[in-house]
Amino acid sequence: VYSPKVIRATAGEVFFARVFEGVTLETVWPPHLPVWATRAHNAVPFATSELKNTGGLLLMGSEGSGIDEQALSDRFTVQWICIPQ
């Protein structure tokens, strides 16, 4: 979380965010609350999503490997969004 690339990419905001290490998603986020996750295909563009109005947990994977979609979908109702260039 505190690698130089992360600090630079977040412009230092990482120091003001809650960081959880060594826990499962279920421990920090109840399954009945909204979960939003990013992916490149078959997703709603962020600007037209309801995330801005409803809030929730936003999960963003790495650019290379992304998020394990199957593992996440098995435990949570996920609404997929993309961030167009």
Side-chain angles (χ1 to χ4, degrees):
V1 172
Y2 300 108
S3 73
K5 286 185 176 184
V6 171
I7 293 170
R8 182 173 181 166
T10 64
E13 284 297 316
V14 69
F15 295 116
F16 302 101
R18 292 178 61 187
V19 175
F20 298 96
E21 295 181 273
V23 297
T24 64
L25 186 57
E26 291 86 356
T27 344
V28 296
W29 195 258
H32 65 279
L33 293 177
V35 175
W36 300 82
T38 58
R39 68 178 174 195
H41 60 292
N42 297 329
V44 174
F46 171 75
T48 60
S49 72
E50 290 296 316
L51 175 61
K52 298 186 305 184
N53 301 326
T54 62
L57 176 66
L58 175 60
L59 300 174
M60 299 176 73
S62 67
E63 187 176 3
S65 58
I67 295 174
D68 185 349
E69 296 181 18
Q70 186 63 42
L72 187 59
S73 296
D74 288 346
R75 293 177 276 175
F76 292 91
T77 302
V78 180
Q79 299 173 43
W80 295 98
I81 62 171
C82 63
I83 303 171
Q85 294 186 5

